[in-house]
């Protein structure tokens, strides 16, 4: 399990090495970009100089992006930025039954939240908008399918799904040719056009590439490239009743957009031979020109204590094990943003884990450490008492209050100090008092003295209890000449230093203490259902007492509550003057064995 802390040098990134080599060989110098087929804006402006490199981030709009997608976004958009190139945001919307505009909007939002966009300046001073949909190319894909048929590289198969599955063979046994494999080009064209025109039932036939049913790579055994599906499409409506398969559509999209480096995760490695086969056939047919894109694979993100399977995430949401796609316990980017995770934290994380060709597991603590590291630098400080009991300073005057001064950020004196009000009655943490102290306990107990952080030294006198024997109030006396920051304030030496807020000035806040959604590092491993590994304590809602200034927080504001961790004002439930806080991450890892 990786525990590496330092960013992997750029030179060790094999994709960068490939790009450096391609640029040194001037591989793409002659290419021009004319925009998408039918793109009137590009046709009007004419061709422009081709970017040094073009990458793409191609999500399918059938769910919300998760942490694994952040790695791909930073890789593809980051490479384009670093090499003065362009990255396209492209929605692979070839499966209308599972896709929606809601997912398109959420994906676009998350890409922008991470700091990237799709509008780029061109060398001739124009603006180039690189936002695309696979459905933009349905006409071209259909033409490509007909071209394959005409050149003898595709056929319509009318076998049942079960027969096709059986005849496909296994990893150790070759497949068997379909009885429809050798029908004529004319018949295949006629039937395919009938499929397009809605003359055949859903599932009754498919168009397959004609490659090799005996190939050791099962993905090359005449893969399906078009199926009949009467479903309303979020972008094209009811224009089509046949839709291309992803493995057929994706290479064509890359080629039409003149992507130079098509970067995907390792599970697509076995699909690369078909990618290359299709590119070669379409060049032969005169539909594409060399150099065509090439696919490069990198290790996907495998993260402990989470599930990144889209199917499992959908199950968690639909069965209401979580409150929605933006539940702060989910590894979705929407949930991460609501929890208080930051783009800068994700950038540090992706730099730290690097890019490799081999899959490995990354411990979730590395992501949390990256968030802590970033938030420690950026988050202003506030005082919060999460498990409050009352402390009364018996010898402090009634109705008196005074200003104490706390730094807004202890490592950044230029950010100044804030006023924290002191009064006779305070809130302190329950754990900061023990009637019978254990060995090494230096906080409040009868007869002991501690410093109120930013305030006075106090001496514990006594406590009050309720009928059940629980401590409800602690009584102290303060030493008037010991206020922090005043001459002689350190004349009394104490070992303990405790947090507090004035009861008269505190903001009573709802706080949600979020923890990991799963209690096992590998949810659902072995024969277990992953739902059985849900952590029953993944969220606890408490009422806390915060310093007065925390009440002014706007939705999305992040603070370090001194001693407790980093907290964000919830994006959804916070209102002006009444923020609700989510715990983003504790100050240290609570899951260390």
């Amino acid at each position: 399990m990786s525990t590496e802390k330092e960013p992997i040098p750029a030179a060790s990134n094999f994709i960068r090495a490939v790009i450096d080599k391609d640029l040194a060989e001037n591989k793409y110098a002659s290419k021009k970009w004319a925009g998408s087929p039918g793109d009137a804006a590009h046709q009007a402006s004419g061709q422009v100089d081709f970017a040094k490199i073009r990458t793409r981030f191609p999500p399918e709009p059938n769910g919300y992006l998760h942490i694994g997608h952040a790695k791909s976004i930073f890789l593809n958009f980051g490479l384009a930025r670093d090499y003065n190139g362009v990255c396209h945001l492209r929605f692979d919307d070839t499966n209308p039954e599972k896709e929606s505009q809601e997912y398109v909007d959420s994906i676009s939002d998350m890409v922008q939240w991470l700091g990237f966009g799709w509008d780029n300046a061109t060398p001739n001073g124009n603006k180039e908008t690189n936002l695309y949909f696979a459905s933009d190319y349905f006409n071209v894909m259909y033409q490509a399918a007909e071209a394959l048929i005409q050149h003898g590289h595709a056929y319509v198969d009318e076998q049942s799904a079960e027969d096709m599955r059986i005849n496909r063979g296994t990893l150790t046994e070759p497949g068997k040719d379909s009885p429809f494999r050798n029908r004529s080009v004319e018949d295949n064209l006629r039937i395919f056009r009938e499929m397009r025109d809605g003359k055949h039932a859903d599932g009754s036939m498919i168009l397959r590439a004609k490659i090799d049913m005996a190939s050791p790579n099962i993905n090359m055994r005449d893969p399906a490239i078009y199926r009949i599906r009467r479903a309303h499409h979020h972008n094209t409506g009811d224009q089509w009743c046949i839709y291309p398969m992803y493995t057929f559509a994706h290479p064509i999209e890359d080629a039409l957009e003149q992507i130079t480096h098509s970067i995907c995760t390792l599970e697509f490695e076995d699909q690369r031979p078909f990618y290359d086969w299709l590119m070669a056939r379409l060049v032969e047919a005169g539909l594409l020109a060399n150099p065509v894109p090439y696919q490069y694979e990198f290790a996907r993100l495998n993260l402990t204590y989470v599930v990144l399977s889209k199917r499992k995430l959908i199950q968690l949401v639909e069965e209401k094990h979580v409150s929605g796609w933006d539940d702060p316990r989910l590894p979705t980017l929407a949930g991460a943003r609501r929890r208080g995770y930051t783009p800068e934290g994700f950038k540090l994380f992706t730099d730290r884990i690097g890019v490799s060709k081999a899959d490995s597991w990354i411990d979730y603590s590395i992501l949390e450490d990256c968030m802590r590291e970033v938030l420690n630098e950026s988050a202003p400080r506030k005082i919060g008492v999460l498990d409050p009991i009352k402390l009364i300073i018996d010898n402090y005057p009634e109705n008196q209050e005074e200003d104490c001064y706390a730094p807004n950020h202890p490592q950044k004196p230029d950010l100044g100090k804030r006023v924290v009000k002191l009064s006779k009655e305070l809130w302190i943490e329950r754990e900061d008092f023990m009637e019978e102290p254990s060995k090494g306990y230096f906080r409040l107990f009868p007869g002991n003295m501690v410093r109120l952080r930013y305030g006075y030294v106090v001496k514990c006198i006594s406590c009050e209890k309720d009928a059940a024997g629980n401590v409800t109030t602690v009584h102290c006396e303060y030493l008037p000449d010991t206020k922090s920051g005043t001459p002689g304030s350190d004349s009394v030496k104490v070992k303990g230093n405790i947090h507090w807020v004035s009861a008269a000035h505190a903001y009573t806040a709802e706080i949600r203490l979020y923890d990991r959604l799963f209690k096992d590092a590998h949810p659902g491993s072995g024969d277990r259902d992953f739902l059985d590994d849900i952590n029953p304590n993944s969220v606890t809602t408490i009422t806390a007492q915060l310093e007065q200034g925390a009440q002014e927080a706007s939705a999305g504001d992040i603070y370090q509550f001194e001693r407790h961790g980093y907290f964000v004002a919830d994006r959804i439930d916070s209102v002006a003057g009444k923020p609700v806080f989510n715990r983003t991450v504790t100050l240290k890892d609570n899951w260390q064995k």
Side-chain angles (χ1 to χ4, degrees), residues 446-486:
N448 192 45
M449 293 191 296
V450 302
R451 177 172 293 281
L452 299 176
R453 188 167 172 84
Y454 313 123
Y456 294 96
V457 171
V458 295
K459 181 178 181 179
C460 183
I461 303 301
S462 63
C463 68
E464 300 175 23
K465 301 179 183 180
D466 61 17
N470 300 310
V471 174
T472 58
T473 305
V474 177
H475 288 269
C476 289
E477 293 181 349
Y478 84 113
L479 282 62
D481 297 328
T482 61
K483 185 177 180 180
S484 294
T486 61

Side-chain angles (χ1 to χ4, degrees), residues 383-443:
I383 302 172
V385 177
L386 304 192
D387 186 14
I389 59 171
K390 186 68 66 70
L391 182 143
I392 298 176
I393 307 174
D394 291 339
N395 63 336
Y396 195 85
E398 294 281 354
N399 302 319
Q400 179 173 311
E401 61 182 49
E402 60 184 289
D403 295 342
C404 296
Y405 297 93
N408 288 315
H409 196 298
Q411 284 86 49
K412 298 181 179 181
D414 55 306
L415 295 181
K417 295 185 177 183
R418 66 191 189 277
V419 171
V420 180
K421 290 290 187 181
L422 178 76
S423 61
K424 185 179 182 69
E425 295 190 6
L426 311 176
W427 293 110
I428 64 169
E429 293 287 348
R430 186 174 300 276
E431 66 178 22
D432 284 346
F433 172 79
M434 274 190 179
E435 191 172 13
E436 298 180 4
S438 57
K439 184 179 179 180
Y441 186 82
F442 298 117
R443 282 167 273 180

Side-chain angles (χ1 to χ4, degrees), residues 209-477:
K210 190 175 184 179
I211 308 177
D212 181 6
M213 289 300 292
S215 172
N217 183 342
I218 203 166
N219 296 293
M220 296 296 281
R221 296 178 187 175
D222 293 8
I225 58 177
Y226 258 95
R227 79 278 200 200
I228 305 172
R229 189 74 76 242
R230 288 172 173 81
H232 184 81
H233 192 281
H234 74 97
N235 200 19
T236 61
D238 298 318
Q239 179 181 352
W240 295 89
C241 64
I242 58 171
Y243 290 96
M245 304 298 289
Y246 172 83
T247 52
F248 174 74
H250 185 77
I252 295 175
E253 296 157 27
D254 283 349
L256 292 175
E257 295 175 18
Q258 300 188 354
I259 299 302
T260 60
H261 300 82
S262 181
I263 304 166
C264 58
T265 46
L266 277 175
E267 65 264 34
F268 293 100
E269 186 174 25
D270 289 341
Q271 295 287 354
R272 187 180 351 124
F274 177 69
Y275 187 109
D276 295 340
W277 178 91
L278 181 59
M279 292 290 96
R281 300 295 83 75
L282 296 181
V283 168
E284 291 171 3
L287 295 183
L288 297 179
N290 281 312
V292 293
Y294 186 83
Q295 176 178 297
Y296 301 89
E297 303 88 19
F298 70 99
R300 66 180 298 169
L301 177 63
N302 296 306
L303 199 61
T304 59
Y305 294 100
V306 302
V307 294
L308 297 179
S309 158
K310 195 171 289 186
R311 176 185 61 81
K312 291 178 179 179
L313 292 175
I314 290 173
Q315 185 177 351
L316 287 169
V317 172
E318 291 185 346
E319 294 181 1
K320 300 188 184 305
H321 300 287
V322 293
S323 62
W325 283 105
D326 64 349
D327 188 301
R329 295 168 294 173
L330 278 184
T332 58
L333 293 183
R337 177 170 64 170
R338 190 172 176 188
R339 185 161 176 165
Y341 286 9
T342 66
E344 296 80 7
F346 279 118
K347 176 63 167 62
L348 179 60
F349 176 64
T350 55
D351 286 347
R352 191 154 283 168
I353 63 176
V355 178
S356 69
K357 292 183 178 181
D359 281 331
S360 62
W361 284 93
I362 304 298
D363 195 276
Y364 195 82
S365 64
I366 295 178
L367 175 60
E368 291 179 317
D369 281 345
C370 290
M371 294 299 164
R372 288 189 188 98
E373 191 169 327
V374 167
L375 293 174
N376 181 56
E377 286 293 313
S378 62
R381 275 45 172 177
K382 297 291 183 187
I383 302 172
V385 177
L386 304 192
D387 186 14
I389 59 171
K390 186 68 66 70
L391 182 143
I392 298 176
I393 307 174
D394 291 339
N395 63 336
Y396 195 85
E398 294 281 354
N399 302 319
Q400 179 173 311
E401 61 182 49
E402 60 184 289
D403 295 342
C404 296
Y405 297 93
N408 288 315
H409 196 298
Q411 284 86 49
K412 298 181 179 181
D414 55 306
L415 295 181
K417 295 185 177 183
R418 66 191 189 277
V419 171
V420 180
K421 290 290 187 181
L422 178 76
S423 61
K424 185 179 182 69
E425 295 190 6
L426 311 176
W427 293 110
I428 64 169
E429 293 287 348
R430 186 174 300 276
E431 66 178 22
D432 284 346
F433 172 79
M434 274 190 179
E435 191 172 13
E436 298 180 4
S438 57
K439 184 179 179 180
Y441 186 82
F442 298 117
R443 282 167 273 180
L444 284 172
F445 56 87
N448 192 45
M449 293 191 296
V450 302
R451 177 172 293 281
L452 299 176
R453 188 167 172 84
Y454 313 123
Y456 294 96
V457 171
V458 295
K459 181 178 181 179
C460 183
I461 303 301
S462 63
C463 68
E464 300 175 23
K465 301 179 183 180
D466 61 17
N470 300 310
V471 174
T472 58
T473 305
V474 177
H475 288 269
C476 289
E477 293 181 349

Side-chain angles (χ1 to χ4, degrees), residues 31 54 70 105 108 172 182 196 200 235 241 282 302 316 329 375 385 405 453 455 498 521 557 559:
K31 289 183 72 66
R54 283 184 185 269
D105 294 341
S108 301
T172 57
N182 294 316
R196 175 200 64 191
H200 299 283
N235 200 19
C241 64
L282 296 181
N302 296 306
L316 287 169
R329 295 168 294 173
L375 293 174
V385 177
Y405 297 93
R453 188 167 172 84
I498 68 171
D557 286 351
Y559 301 113

Side-chain angles (χ1 to χ4, degrees), residues 57 59-66 69 73 89 91 98-114 116 118 131 133 234 310 325-326 332-335 337 571:
F57 175 61
E60 183 181 356
N62 63 352
Y64 280 59
L65 297 184
H66 57 61
H69 292 115
I73 290 169
L89 174 60
F91 292 97
K98 296 182 178 180
E99 298 160 352
S100 72
Q101 189 62 41
E102 174 192 354
Y103 297 138
V104 170
D105 294 341
S106 70
I107 291 169
S108 301
D109 189 26
M110 288 300 99
V111 171
Q112 291 177 310
W113 175 64
L114 288 178
F116 300 103
W118 40 86
L131 176 64
F133 294 82
H234 74 97
K310 195 171 289 186
W325 283 105
D326 64 349
T332 58
L333 293 183
R337 177 170 64 170
R571 294 174 52 82

Side-chain angles (χ1 to χ4, degrees), residues 111-245:
V111 171
Q112 291 177 310
W113 175 64
L114 288 178
F116 300 103
W118 40 86
D119 287 337
N120 301 92
T122 65
N124 63 7
N126 294 326
K127 185 180 77 170
E128 184 181 300
T129 297
N130 295 293
L131 176 64
Y132 303 102
F133 294 82
S135 52
D136 293 340
Y137 313 120
F138 279 173
N139 283 322
V140 181
M141 291 174 189
Y142 178 82
Q143 294 168 16
E146 284 208 352
L148 291 180
I149 295 173
Q150 290 167 342
H151 286 78
H153 298 310
Y155 64 97
V156 176
D157 195 346
E158 298 181 50
Q159 293 182 94
S160 68
E162 179 64 14
D163 285 344
M164 272 189 275
R165 184 190 65 79
I166 294 172
N167 290 335
R168 196 181 188 200
T170 66
L171 293 176
T172 57
E173 296 180 356
K176 297 179 181 179
D177 286 356
S178 164
F180 302 96
R181 195 173 193 267
N182 294 316
R183 69 184 354 154
S184 69
V185 168
E186 292 74 21
D187 282 346
N188 280 314
L189 274 176
R190 173 180 55 81
I191 299 172
F192 185 53
R193 289 168 181 171
E194 290 174 356
M195 291 169 58
R196 175 200 64 191
D197 296 338
K199 295 181 179 180
H200 299 283
D202 287 12
S204 61
M205 56 188 66
I206 61 171
L207 184 68
R208 299 177 72 176
K210 190 175 184 179
I211 308 177
D212 181 6
M213 289 300 292
S215 172
N217 183 342
I218 203 166
N219 296 293
M220 296 296 281
R221 296 178 187 175
D222 293 8
I225 58 177
Y226 258 95
R227 79 278 200 200
I228 305 172
R229 189 74 76 242
R230 288 172 173 81
H232 184 81
H233 192 281
H234 74 97
N235 200 19
T236 61
D238 298 318
Q239 179 181 352
W240 295 89
C241 64
I242 58 171
Y243 290 96
M245 304 298 289

